[in-house]
Amino acid sequence: QVQLVESGGGLVQVGGSLRLSCAASERTFSSYTMGWFRQAPGKEREFVATISWSADRTYYADSVKGRFTLSRDTGKNMVYLRMNSLKPDDTAVYYCAATNYRSGSYSYLYDYWGQGTQVTVSS
C-alpha cells in the first residue's frame, strides 16, 4: 500500500509560482507512474500531469503545458510539481496519485491518492 502526502500549497498572486511536493511511503515507489490531478469547487477532478516510473516521459494537460513541470526523485521517494505563471483558474485542491499503469490521464487508473493540498491564486 502506497501512502502519499502532498505539501507546498498555499496562496499566491497571479503570475506567481509554487512547488508542490508529494512524498511516497512505499519503497517500491520507483515502479509507479505518478500523476497530479486537481479539483476546483463545483467541478470534477481533472488531470494535470503524469510522469513515468523512469522519469523519461512526462505528459501535461493543455491548460498547464509550458507553465508546469513535473519531476521525481526516486532516491527520496518524492515527486515535484513546479507551477509557474499561475492563473486564477489554477485554484484548486491538488492531488498526487500513483498507478501501476505505464501512463494515464484518467483518474480511475490510479490506485493510490494523497489527501490533497490547496492552491489559491488571487487576482
Side-chain angles (χ1 to χ4, degrees), residues 11-108:
L11 175 64
V12 64
Q13 292 186 333
V14 169
S17 298
L18 281 174
R19 189 182 78 159
L20 304 184
S21 299
C22 175
S25 64
E26 179 58 48
R27 59 185 174 86
T28 59
F29 160 77
S30 61
S31 66
Y32 289 92
T33 293
M34 301 298 295
W36 283 91
F37 292 77
R38 66 186 182 186
Q39 188 166 18
K43 295 186 178 181
E44 294 186 355
R45 188 170 298 186
E46 66 173 359
F47 168 76
V48 175
T50 185
I51 187 167
S52 62
W53 66 270
S54 60
D56 63 340
R57 286 179 285 114
T58 53
Y59 179 66
Y60 299 91
D62 288 343
S63 58
V64 307
K65 198 173 296 182
R67 300 187 297 121
F68 290 13
T69 302
L70 183 54
S71 62
R72 66 191 298 167
D73 185 335
T74 301
K76 296 182 178 180
N77 281 9
M78 296 291 294
V79 175
Y80 304 102
L81 182 67
R82 177 68 181 182
M83 307 186 296
N84 296 328
S85 303
L86 284 163
K87 307 174 181 179
D89 285 348
D90 295 319
T91 295
V93 176
Y94 283 70
Y95 298 91
C96 176
T99 178
N100 283 313
Y101 284 88
R102 293 185 62 185
S103 63
S105 59
Y106 298 100
S107 60
Y108 69 83

